[in-house]
Amino acid sequence: MILAVTHALMMTLSLAQAEQHPPYEWNRYPLCEHVEAYVPEPGGLEARQRSIALEACQLPTDMISISDVDAGLNGQSLALLPDLQRSTVTILARQDDDASLGVLGTFRMPLTKIGEGRYAARLRLAHMDTALMTVFLNSESPTTNTEPVIWRGPIAPDQAPRQSELLGRVEHHEVFSEAHGETRRVDVYLPPEHDLNAGPYPVVFMTDGAETAHFAHQVEAAIKAGELAPLIIVGARSGQSGVVEDMSDFPTDLRAADYLAGWYEGEPRAQEHQRFFANELTDWASERFGASMQREDRAVLGFSNGASFARDAGYRRGDMFGWVMAYSPGRGPIRSVEDIDHPRARFRFAAGWYEPGFQLSSQLTHEVLSAAGYDSRIELFSTGHTRDVRDVVLSDWLGEAFPPPAPVTQP
């Protein structure tokens, strides 16, 4: 769905107004000149939002012509034109009709119409030498090409190696949840030579489990390289694809209702989902696959809303999860630490410089937890709201949590 915020709305503030009012939607890449003109009270939240917005803000497109778009596209429907010297990137696009056009991936934003079927955006970006950019078109037109365009900065971090063909296996299961009163779909990765009697195995409980197979290739490469203990991934699918029963009558976004406390008033689905993860899936994985019952051998992992769920599940159920691995958690940062009577999970956060709201949410939670004595760490990357960060740091995080067993030395 095209983002509701239009480019015109983002550009309406004059510089005089910008000195008095914050730019429209800090998280939507406001004009750089508006961000620079606005000077909030130092030390407050808006000062912090301004600082983050300056890492990725928009530049005018009025100097771009239709011929510039055509030349830059060179016959393609989408192009990224980075300029490392000026720390800018220009996004050019075309489509055959006049439907609204935007981009998703590293940047989630509408494009400005330059002329018939031609669109553009320009951004000024920090840390472009380490950038990980993946962008694709977002349009209501059924004929628009949605193949991604990928660009990497000259010293961008490498993605973790991947196993080309799995020696382990990914299985698909259905698990009835007493907490939800419905049947849930769960994907499970089992490492090479998995043996129920050889456990217990470390285990990662993952939100958005349809991506289990994608990450299994990365995990298995680390296992084969001796960087990671053989482990199990239990990926609970999300939304309607995660529920066997028909949920078409559910009145709001099902994935968000499962992952975000308070998303849908009167529906305690997020609390039910925590019980599903912390009590039901943990028991099921132990009995069925030999997953460890020790909290130190368990991680809960997620991205975006799934990261918010992982963060909250680990925070409230540290008795069940020893590790939280949260990529770009959004809604609901932890702003104060409660006196919860159970062991504390270790938290690992990652976010992008080019996803302002998710970056801020990650930083706020990390700072609150660290100040309260939690083992928490955050890593920031030159990217936006994409899988790119996970493909860089997942193996490192898992290797820290679940290192390979020490070699047995003969006496």
Side-chain angles (χ1 to χ4, degrees), residues 70-109:
D70 290 341
L73 286 172
N74 193 27
Q76 304 300 309
S77 58
L78 175 65
L80 284 176
L81 304 180
D83 186 332
L84 287 169
Q85 290 187 332
R86 293 182 172 85
S87 297
T88 65
V89 65
T90 301
I91 304 172
L92 303 175
R94 67 176 299 165
Q95 66 178 359
D96 295 333
D97 56 39
D98 286 333
S100 298
L101 188 64
V103 290
L104 295 174
T106 300
F107 312 105
R108 298 186 170 213
M109 59 188 294

Side-chain angles (χ1 to χ4, degrees), residues 58-59 61 64 89-92 109-112 119-123:
Q58 284 199 69
L59 297 169
T61 57
I64 299 177
V89 65
T90 301
I91 304 172
L92 303 175
M109 59 188 294
L111 299 178
T112 299
Y119 301 81
R122 294 176 63 226
L123 296 113

Side-chain angles (χ1 to χ4, degrees), residues 150-300:
I150 298 171
W151 184 83
R152 300 291 183 253
I155 56 172
D158 293 329
Q159 294 185 337
R162 295 175 57 80
Q163 179 75 11
S164 57
E165 293 187 13
L166 289 179
L167 301 177
R169 63 187 187 275
V170 175
E171 298 182 350
H172 307 286
H173 295 270
E174 295 179 358
V175 181
F176 183 76
S177 169
E178 296 285 350
H180 280 303
E182 60 202 30
T183 309
R184 308 291 301 205
R185 293 189 177 98
V186 180
D187 293 355
V188 177
Y189 165 71
L190 301 173
E193 301 179 7
H194 171 264
D195 182 348
L196 181 62
N197 299 317
Y201 290 88
V203 56
V204 179
F205 294 93
M206 190 174 83
T207 62
D208 296 311
E211 295 191 324
T212 299
H214 173 85
F215 292 111
H217 289 266
Q218 184 175 332
V219 166
E220 190 163 293
I223 293 172
K224 284 192 64 182
E227 300 168 353
L228 178 62
L231 58 77
I232 295 169
I233 302 175
V234 177
R237 290 185 173 237
S238 57
Q240 176 62 79
S241 71
V243 184
V244 173
E245 293 82 6
D246 180 14
M247 300 294 289
S248 59
D249 290 338
F250 193 73
T252 187
D253 184 278
L254 183 60
R255 176 177 179 267
D258 278 351
Y259 288 165
L260 304 176
W263 175 264
Y264 179 52
E265 186 177 355
E267 278 287 336
R269 289 195 65 90
Q271 291 84 355
E272 294 170 359
H273 212 54
Q274 281 191 20
R275 294 199 300 274
F276 174 56
F277 261 68
N279 300 114
E280 298 175 346
L281 278 184
T282 53
D283 286 347
W284 178 77
S286 176
E287 295 170 5
R288 186 72 178 264
F289 306 109
S292 176
M293 292 293 287
Q294 301 299 313
R295 59 177 295 278
E296 296 84 0
D297 294 334
R298 292 174 176 160
V300 57

